[in-house]
Amino acid sequence: MLFKLKNKIKIIVLFAMNLVFSQQYFSPLIPSNNFLSSASMLAKGGEFSGLFSHSVFSKYGEVFNFEFDLTRNSYAERRSVPVIDMFDDVVTQNVYALNRPAFASISWSLSGSVNNYLKLPVSLSLSDSPYWDFRYDYSEEVRASLGPGVYNRDPVVGYHLINIDGVIRSLKIGIASKINSWLKMGVLLDNLYEDELFYMKGVNVFEEDDALASDTTLLKDINMSVENVSRFTFGATVDLKRNMSIALSVTPSTEIKFLTGGLIPSIDEKTLLPSFNFSDTSSNYSITLPQEINLGFSIKVNNPTKTNITGGLIFKDWENHDIYKVYHSSTDTSTHNYQSTIGLSVGVEHIILGKTPLRFGFIYSDSPLGEEFEITKVTLGSGWVYNNISLDVVAVFGSVDYRYGDLFPSTTQENLLLDRIDEKNTVLKATINYSF
């Protein structure tokens, strides 16, 4: 009884812990931190395990399977400027903006085998999940610096604001067939569609001040939309031995076109990182999602405590897909000098006392933006099973910091130094599964 109580306390602690990931200021340009895997797969480092994460393969042969995921992302983004002494040395970092927004998302999956009805070794699946999360919320309180003799020396004179909303979701159909005793092959068809994309940036002025980026209130609201895009993933799983399997999949590159009211991707001159400009008229731009090659593995270890090892490797060819096409008065291009990326993940699941899973893993991710954005994450999770129903939970840890220019430069003051951005985010995921 005491052991069960300790397990419950551990899981509650997992839900209370702060986890870290990037808030994605660059989210309108690069999809990342999708966390498409179920909680059980993600907890054992299965972010890049490929086809083992898709129910049409992982639940192959089951008559019926239903999964429902709930994910909550609580972000923390801190922006600071260096304080320089008389010798031009950095004394400390002065924090001028700290934001802690929270977002939630859901996904679901249905899958099942048709073998009992049509006598064919085929499984089908239908799922819907977030693929590209645009959501970002930034609010910077700007205060004036008044001289002595004034009762309120630091009054609030305005706010610098950015709000990006909406998600590109993936409606996915999968089909897999067992070719022989050791080989399964299949194809996944993705339909990417947008869910109310919106971009707002501006200054809310209470009183004119040199610290503000504008003399008057100026808020730009831009509605965005995406042309529906379809793409395929081809792959197979191979049972090398009774306790060892690998999965290989390939997703070709796909162009996705954004229709906006005047948002134009550009390049920041100081950092050569992505930036955004505005146009007075409608404009469109297109991004090519790179080709992806994924190799996953799954190993069942024979020892007194039942143990499963899962992981994978993914390669994304960003280097050859770093040119954005901008359709305005004339077609223009923007080259972002991305680097191709490799992601690695590995994790372990121990079944304690024959029924309670203890899962942990590691995920390493390159970034097309460069070395500053590389990130290593740690995953922890567990779960419960009752008859045909299971509940799995996961928590993921990591961090990243980088240098970038002021998002709202002052109209009268020029800052020659780059700001420091420390990004953290809490990701909690729970998956309910029913199968028979």
Side-chain angles (χ1 to χ4, degrees), residues 210-270:
D210 290 345
L212 290 166
S214 174
D215 295 332
T216 58
T217 295
L218 179 62
L219 300 173
K220 273 192 171 291
D221 298 334
I222 295 178
N223 291 317
M224 304 172 63
S225 62
V226 173
E227 293 183 353
N228 281 17
V229 176
S230 296
R231 64 177 194 162
F232 293 87
T233 297
F234 305 92
T237 64
V238 180
D239 298 328
L240 300 178
K241 297 180 180 179
R242 191 175 66 176
N243 63 339
M244 182 183 298
S245 301
I246 62 171
L248 177 66
S249 63
V250 177
T251 305
S253 60
T254 306
E255 186 177 39
I256 182 168
K257 190 171 184 179
F258 292 84
L259 312 176
T260 82
L263 182 67
I264 300 176
S266 60
I267 299 176
D268 180 74
E269 294 181 357
K270 289 184 179 180

Side-chain angles (χ1 to χ4, degrees), residues 40 66 106 123 157 165 173 180 186 188 202 205 231 244 252 254 277 299 317 357:
S40 62
F66 171 71
I106 62 172
S123 285
V157 293
D165 202 5
I173 299 174
N180 52 41
L188 304 171
V205 178
R231 64 177 194 162
M244 182 183 298
T254 306
N277 289 327
I299 302 173
D317 188 20

